[in-house]
């Protein structure tokens, strides 16, 4: 959620930034509505305060007259006076409408984030070169030949968009997860295993609700009267765990990570670059997260990107890093860099991690603050998150980039001890 004070003081700058993501006419209408509601809210607060002061003054005058033995001055009949309860009800209604309109606005993109969609993304770094492969087979063909993934039985169990790892495939997936957990611990992140069912308040705090409310799996209201949903990413859980808290300044940056399956209502891939495990309704991901002071955020973003790039490099995968344009990044984020692995079968890069800086946007929604040492006033922290990493896309990238002419696939060196082999061979 944006800072209302910033909208009041510099509406033009807010409008220019939002226009990187939204139609300028839509921005203007939204800001008009918000400022009108803000004026109504402030006017009602003034009226309520004045009415309370009048009532206090009348009470004091009545008490003083009684003490002095005088007849108290008559006051206006209650029916002729504005009802405080009515004013407070009006204020609640206006504040609810203002909150709804504010919650619909996306974050303000950083200065170096350009407007536009995918076409405006910019590659900032590349690691290695695409492997030379004489006859490229895609990861679906390879996973079947190697007995790693049972796509048919996955669909039998869960329907379209699900799969089941089998044999060495299940072991490779688990080896990847274990290795990523070890590397993130070594990088100073605290390991968390959060619930997979979250309250709706966590979805709002992360900026996923209300806009993307229908993209997740919800429990019915009879089973979950407070509203619960299956987490779409553990970013939502880590952020939500610290809602309504004041963090100790001395402990910032606070660094945490979590492993969870992720559950999303998104169409299973039918295009060649979204087949197999690339896109589905359930997938595994390790997510890193930082809560920082505002002046720590730039360094934290750079460090998180370098850490994720290092993980992909250690796996030996050719990849690139792209700075996303405003229209291609999550609406909650000021700035996002994608780490994208090369997929030989499609000749395209596929994102395995988005590392993002939200500024204080999520912290405002979640009321996560810090207090300067010796100070009384609290301020909002900055939040950053990134996949480290999404294994359902690492898995096919490993199969495709390390495939050999004899049908086998080399195992990345960092995983060989965990898997107990250096090569995956076709099932006979």
């Amino acid at each position: 959620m944006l800072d209302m004070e910033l909208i009041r003081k510099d509406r033009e700058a807010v409008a220019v930034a939002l226009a990187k993501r939204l139609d300028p006419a839509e921005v203007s209408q939204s800001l008009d509505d918000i400022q009108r509601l803000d004026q109504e809210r402030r006017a009602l607060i003034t009226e309520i305060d004045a009415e309370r002061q009048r009532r206090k003054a009348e009470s004091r005058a009545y008490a003083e007259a009684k003490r002095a033995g005088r007849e108290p001055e008559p006051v206006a009949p209650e029916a002729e006076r504005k009802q405080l309860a009515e004013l407070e009800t009006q204020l609640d209604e206006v504040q609810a409408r203002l909150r709804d309109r504010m919650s619909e606005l996306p974050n303000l993109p950083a200065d170096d984030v350009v407007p536009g969609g995918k076409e405006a993304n910019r590659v900032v770094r590349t690691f290695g070169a695409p492997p030379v492969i004489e006859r490229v087979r895609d990861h679906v063909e390879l996973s079947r030949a190697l007995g790693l993934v049972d796509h048919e039985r996955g669909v039998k169990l869960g329907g379209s968009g699900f799969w089941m790892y089998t044999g060495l495939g299940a072991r490779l997936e688990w080896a990847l997860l274990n290795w990523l957990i070890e590397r993130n611990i070594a990088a100073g992140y605290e390991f968390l295993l959060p619930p997979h069912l979250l309250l709706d308040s966590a979805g709002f705090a992360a900026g996923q609700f209300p806009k993307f409310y229908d993209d997740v799996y919800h429990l019915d209201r009879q089973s979950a009267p407070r509203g619960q949903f299956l987490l779409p990413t553990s970013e939502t859980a880590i952020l939500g765990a610290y809602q309504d808290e004041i963090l100790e300044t001395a402990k910032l940056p606070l660094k945490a990570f979590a492993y969870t399956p992720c559950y999303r209502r998104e169409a299973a891939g039918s295009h060649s670059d979204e087949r197999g495990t690339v896109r589905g309704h359930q997938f595994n991901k390790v997510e890193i997260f930082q809560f920082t002071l505002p002046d720590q955020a730039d360094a934290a973003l750079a460090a998180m990107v370098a850490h994720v790039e290092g993980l992909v490099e250690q796996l030996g995968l050719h990849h690139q890093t792209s700075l996303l344009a405003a229209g291609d990044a999550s609406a909650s984020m000021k700035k996002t860099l994608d780490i994208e692995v090369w997929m030989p079968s499609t000749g395209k890069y596929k994102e395995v991690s988005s590392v993002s800086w939200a500024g204080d946007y999520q912290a405002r929604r979640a009321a996560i603050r810090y207090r300067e040492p010796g100070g009384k006033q609290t301020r909002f922290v900055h939040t950053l998150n990134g996949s480290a990493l999404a294994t359902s896309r690492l898995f096919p990238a490993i199969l495709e980039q390390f495939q050999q002419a004899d049908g086998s696939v080399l195992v990345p060196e960092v995983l060989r001890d965990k898997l107990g082999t250096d090569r995956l061979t076709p099932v006979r």
Side-chain angles (χ1 to χ4, degrees):
M1 195 170 294
L2 301 184
D3 183 359
M4 188 67 235
E5 189 64 26
L6 179 61
I7 295 174
R8 291 191 199 114
K9 288 183 175 179
D10 200 348
R11 170 182 165 140
E12 184 58 31
V14 172
V16 169
L18 288 176
K20 291 183 179 182
R21 283 193 158 124
L22 302 173
D23 177 80
E26 181 185 351
V27 171
S28 180
Q29 183 61 60
S30 293
L31 294 180
D32 283 349
D33 292 346
I34 284 168
Q35 289 192 297
R36 175 181 55 77
L37 288 167
D38 181 49
Q39 289 167 359
E40 285 184 32
R41 183 185 71 87
R42 297 171 80 183
L44 282 166
I45 289 172
T46 298
E47 197 168 357
I48 288 169
D49 287 344
E51 179 63 19
R52 285 174 176 161
Q53 289 302 319
R54 282 195 296 272
R55 294 187 178 210
K56 285 182 181 178
E58 288 174 355
S59 295
R60 283 196 298 269
Y62 182 91
E64 288 172 3
K66 284 292 188 183
R67 281 198 299 270
R70 300 193 309 270
E71 186 67 24
E73 290 290 330
V75 298
E78 189 67 25
E80 296 179 11
R81 302 162 66 198
K82 286 191 175 180
Q83 297 296 306
L84 187 59
E86 291 178 7
L87 291 171
E88 290 172 338
T89 298
Q90 290 178 38
L91 178 61
D92 288 343
E93 292 171 353
V94 168
Q95 288 186 146
R97 293 205 303 274
L98 178 59
R99 177 182 172 86
D100 287 345
R101 293 297 278 142
M102 287 288 286
S103 71
E104 293 168 359
L105 289 179
N107 204 344
L108 304 181
D111 292 342
D112 60 343
V113 173
V114 300
K118 289 182 182 294
E119 76 288 344
N121 293 348
R122 179 170 60 88
V123 176
V124 295
R125 277 183 297 281
T126 301
F127 173 77
V132 178
I133 303 170
E134 187 173 337
R135 176 184 171 267
V136 176
R137 287 159 293 176
D138 72 23
H139 58 280
V140 176
E141 179 185 350
L142 287 164
S143 65
R144 284 184 173 132
L146 298 168
L148 306 178
V149 180
D150 193 326
H151 298 280
E152 291 73 19
R153 288 192 172 96
V155 171
K156 182 192 293 186
L157 285 170
S160 177
F162 293 90
W163 59 84
M164 181 169 68
Y165 295 107
T166 58
L168 275 174
R171 290 173 59 189
L172 175 59
E173 174 75 358
W174 210 246
L176 273 168
L177 291 168
N178 275 326
W179 180 74
L180 292 170
I181 288 168
E182 290 170 1
R183 299 318 305 153
N184 288 319
I185 291 172
Y189 290 85
E190 181 183 10
F191 187 19
L192 308 176
L193 285 173
H196 296 183
L197 277 173
L198 306 179
L199 294 172
D200 283 357
S201 58
F204 177 85
Q208 290 150 355
F209 299 169
K211 185 173 182 179
F212 300 107
Y213 186 84
D214 293 332
D215 291 351
V216 302
Y217 292 98
H218 296 272
L219 270 65
D220 64 87
R221 287 289 174 173
Q222 185 174 355
S223 302
R226 295 178 63 189
Q228 283 180 297
F229 63 101
L230 282 167
L231 60 77
T233 167
S234 50
E235 168 202 343
T236 316
I238 299 173
L239 176 76
Y242 290 89
Q243 289 176 89
D244 304 310
E245 292 191 22
I246 299 175
L247 305 180
E248 292 185 42
T249 306
K251 293 185 177 180
L252 298 177
L254 191 160
K255 301 165 64 176
F257 82 97
Y259 154 69
T260 65
C262 302
Y263 309 90
R264 299 184 186 176
R265 286 183 181 276
E266 55 187 354
S270 57
H271 300 294
S272 59
D273 60 341
E274 293 189 345
R275 296 177 65 223
T277 67
V278 171
R279 184 178 295 277
H281 301 302
Q282 177 186 327
F283 58 93
N284 291 319
K285 185 155 67 78
V286 178
E287 185 85 4
I288 56 175
F289 202 99
Q290 288 201 37
F291 300 88
T292 74
L293 298 173
D295 61 4
Q296 296 171 334
D298 283 343
L301 180 63
M304 291 172 75
V305 172
H307 172 60
V308 174
E309 288 174 332
L311 294 174
V312 185
E313 288 175 16
Q314 289 173 67
L315 289 167
L317 293 169
H318 167 56
H319 66 278
Q320 66 182 22
T321 300
S322 298
L323 174 61
L324 299 193
D328 195 32
S330 166
S332 300
M333 300 302 154
K334 292 181 70 67
K335 184 174 181 176
T336 296
L337 292 103
D338 273 6
I339 291 80
E340 305 158 333
V341 292
W342 175 250
M343 300 296 289
S345 67
T346 61
K348 298 178 182 178
Y349 291 90
K350 206 69 180 174
E351 173 253 320
V352 291
S353 174
S354 288
V355 182
S356 302
W357 166 43
D360 63 7
Y361 184 88
Q362 291 179 321
R364 285 181 181 279
R365 299 170 79 99
I368 304 174
R369 295 144 292 159
Y370 71 94
R371 182 179 286 112
E372 293 286 359
K376 293 183 179 180
Q377 186 176 3
T378 60
R379 302 183 186 277
F380 293 105
V381 299
H382 281 209
T383 59
L384 305 97
N385 70 280
S387 306
L389 290 154
T391 56
S392 61
R393 293 186 175 178
L394 281 180
F395 194 104
I398 289 170
L399 297 186
E400 291 198 10
Q401 289 199 33
F402 294 149
Q403 61 183 292
Q404 305 297 301
D406 64 358
S408 66
V409 170
L410 296 179
V411 175
E413 289 187 17
V414 294
L415 301 178
R416 291 176 182 177
D417 285 347
K418 295 183 182 301
L419 210 57
T421 183
D422 61 357
R423 187 182 297 262
L424 305 172
T425 55
V427 177
R428 302 298 180 188

